[in-house]
């Protein structure tokens, strides 16, 4: 394990939005940087006090300016529709060279908005750790949330940057930071990220909610463990998911169209009583599921950081 | 805890099909009837020998006749499309007064077929324990699989029976037997059972497979815990699920049509960018999910037997 020259970086991290994800970022980084100061910002003073009481963050403030002043890193962990505005404000109050990153599960809208502010864009490297829970709030934050999980970085092309060298350095800093959480970083374009996430996260979430909504009242006592698993994420925060759908509407609409078409194909198989085709259809689903279950990035723990 | 007059009933139970469910029935009943003899039947001698080696069943035979001779109870735990034939054969070889029950997750086809044989129907009380796993095989059988779980009994109306008194007694025996597994019994018509199960189990299973099939190759590394839960049951046995779809085709086709219609409604909300409606739609899913999670029949353990 050998660190970059800055062995004590970061010394001060601002967490804007101290919920499940923001809290877990602080707790995960603290394992490697016990002396790092984590300053939490929230509009909700009670929530913030709770996070300090539980030791999730070291200091709390109701001022973004105060949180970002002297910060080496600012992590924006609010709902996706508030991220771009927070990044731009954090850029205004943070020192030169400060890394600003986020945890949003959509990227196009955020990056497009931040790009309108060159000062913010010079500090910002968009990120999406593929980790979370249907629970929310810093009381559910854990230090190992990101261990072995994929963290997608979607830096804008450095060719497009005013200062290529600084841009590349900032991406390297983001890579280093997210590896310190225990995560494994990969880089992807904003468009690919949003299309892929619609397919493997956003539309599956909507499908889970669809299944939950469709239980006939008289059948409530008949749900089993299959239904319970399929609908777990349907208990997620409706406000958060409405924001995700707003931010990634185009990709989600495209995936929903694909889903409707695939569903039509399945209905035809059932209607035709074509059991040979159905067996093949189900076997394909099983193979895909099992190949992904055994993929190294899913489930297993890896420590790639530092 | 007070038993019926027959305190030592059953003394001998035949398990036709020693897999996850059949094996778990034996293991669960053994907790209350340690002296009961469990005789397993399977066409697969190696699988049967494994179940004896692991102590899941006490004796093994490749003959249905031998398994059912002297049995107090016969449990048919094969894939659904083979259950009716096994029930009829078991009726021929079992003593008068023997209870025959099953574990099939579809009921209409099975009951219709068995009804054509009055001798078999007099002994048969159809059952469906709402318990299982995406795993199969008696190596995954556990004694507490049915603890606190709902077991649906779908006895034909006793008015239709040749011998109403005997019919009622047999239903009582089935009720007693399934409570001994640790389960909670409820009674329902065959048609209601199949319609409800299509809604809360069969179609959700197909939806899970649909989500698994739809992962774009480039997005495989981006799946998170939500996708993993939604697609857990997609790893289930394709042969078993093809048989379920064959047996419950009409109800499943009806539920798939309802799903397609609900999906159209969701696509319209997304397309219209109607975030107020979307928030309400998601909040309804969350309320339904959470109300069912906290229902006493789901998840928690209860011991209603005896």
């Amino acid at each position: 394990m050998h660190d970059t020259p800055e062995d004590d970086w970061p010394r001060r991290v601002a967490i804007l939005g101290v919920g499940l994800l923001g809290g877990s970022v602080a707790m995960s980084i603290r394992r490697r940087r016990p002396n790092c100061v984590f300053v939490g910002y929230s509009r909700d003073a009670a929530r913030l006090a709770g996070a300090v009481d539980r030791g999730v963050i070291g200091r709390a403030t109701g001022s973004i300016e105060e949180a970002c002043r002297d910060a080496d890193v600012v992590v924006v962990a609010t709902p996706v529709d508030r991220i771009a505005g927070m990044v731009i404000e954090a850029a205004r109050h943070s020192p030169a060279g400060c890394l600003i990153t986020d945890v949003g599960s959509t990227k196009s809208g955020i990056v497009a908005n931040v790009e309108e502010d060159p000062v913010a864009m010079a500090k910002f490297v968009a990120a999406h750790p593929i980790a979370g829970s249907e629970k929310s709030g810093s009381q559910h934050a854990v230090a190992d949330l990101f261990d072995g999980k994929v963290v997608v970085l979607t830096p804008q092309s450095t060719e497009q940057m005013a200062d290529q060298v600084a841009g590349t350095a900032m991406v390297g800093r983001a890579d280093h930071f997210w590896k310190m959480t225990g995560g494994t970083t990969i880089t992807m374009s904003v468009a690919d990220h949003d299309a892929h996430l619609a397919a493997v996260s956003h539309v599956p979430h909507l499908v889970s909610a669809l299944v939950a909504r469709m239980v006939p009242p008289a059948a409530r006592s008949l749900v089993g463990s299959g239904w319970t698993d399929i609908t777990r994420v349907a208990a997620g925060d409706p406000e958060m998911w409405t924001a995700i759908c707003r931010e990634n509407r185009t990709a989600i609409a495209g995936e929903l169209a694909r889903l409707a078409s695939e569903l039509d194909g399945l209905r035809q198989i059932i209607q035709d009583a074509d059991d040979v085709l159905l067996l093949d259809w189900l076997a394909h689903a099983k193979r895909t599921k099992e190949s992904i279950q055994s993929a190294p990035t899913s489930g297993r723990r890896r420590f790639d950081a530092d």
Side-chain angles (χ1 to χ4, degrees), chain A:
Chain A
M1 215 167 74
H2 46 267
D3 268 21
T4 62
E6 312 164 273
D7 255 356
D8 58 350
W9 180 91
R11 294 183 202 187
R12 193 180 174 94
V13 174
I15 308 283
L16 308 188
V18 187
L20 173 80
L21 287 169
S24 296
V25 168
M27 292 170 78
S28 67
I29 296 282
R30 187 177 290 117
R31 297 180 301 179
R32 293 169 178 279
R33 294 288 182 269
N35 297 323
C36 180
V37 177
F38 295 90
V39 187
Y41 160 83
S42 170
R43 292 186 299 192
D44 183 334
R47 177 184 286 193
L48 212 46
V52 173
D53 286 348
R54 285 188 301 277
V56 173
I57 49 172
R59 296 187 200 173
T61 173
S63 152
I64 295 179
E65 181 172 355
E66 195 183 319
C68 297
R69 187 193 306 146
D70 304 325
D72 294 318
V73 178
V74 177
V75 180
V76 183
T78 60
V80 288
D81 53 344
R82 292 179 49 221
I83 289 177
M86 300 280 265
V87 168
I88 290 166
E89 195 167 351
R92 201 174 305 143
H93 299 303
S94 56
C98 175
L99 164 69
I100 304 177
T101 188
D102 76 321
V103 304
S105 64
T106 66
K107 297 273 76 103
S108 307
I110 293 167
V111 170
N113 281 321
V114 175
E115 272 179 341
E116 291 177 12
D117 184 325
V119 175
M121 204 59 207
K123 294 178 174 177
F124 182 52
V125 179
H128 174 206
I130 312 288
S133 166
E134 77 280 13
K135 294 169 186 156
S136 53
S138 71
Q139 66 274 26
H140 299 296
V142 287
D144 64 355
L145 186 68
F146 307 108
D147 287 352
K149 304 289 172 60
V150 167
V151 181
V152 185
L153 304 182
T154 63
Q156 76 279 46
S157 163
T158 50
E159 284 81 45
Q160 294 164 1
M161 287 181 175
D163 185 338
Q164 289 184 27
V165 176
T168 305
M170 200 56 92
V171 174
R173 205 163 283 190
D175 188 68
H176 187 59
F177 179 79
W178 281 107
K179 282 178 176 161
M180 275 200 287
T181 66
T184 303
T185 56
I186 62 174
T187 298
M188 196 172 278
S189 75
V190 162
D192 282 350
H193 172 276
D194 281 10
H196 293 340
L197 263 289
V200 300
S201 170
H202 307 161
V203 165
H205 183 94
L206 292 171
V207 165
S208 173
L210 204 50
V211 170
R213 285 169 52 91
M214 284 185 67
V215 178
R220 295 171 65 95
S221 62
L222 302 180
V223 309
S225 58
W227 187 92
T228 299
D229 283 352
I230 292 167
T231 59
R232 180 180 64 82
V233 297
D237 178 12
E239 302 254 8
M240 186 184 103
W241 282 96
T242 298
I244 287 171
C245 291
R246 183 163 51 231
E247 289 284 318
N248 201 22
R249 192 178 327 273
T250 309
I252 289 172
E255 273 304 307
L256 283 174
R258 194 163 73 95
L259 176 68
S261 161
E262 293 289 318
L263 178 58
D264 280 348
L266 171 63
R267 289 178 66 194
Q268 195 62 54
I269 293 172
I270 297 284
Q271 198 176 308
D272 294 347
D274 191 337
D275 287 346
V276 175
L277 207 53
L278 180 59
L279 183 64
D280 190 56
W281 190 94
L282 288 165
H284 177 254
K286 180 181 169 72
R287 280 196 306 275
T288 305
K289 169 61 176 171
E290 290 179 338
S291 69
I292 290 180
Q293 260 179 330
S294 62
T297 48
S298 165
R300 293 198 212 146
R301 292 190 169 190
R302 296 196 298 176
F303 294 90
D304 292 352
D306 286 7

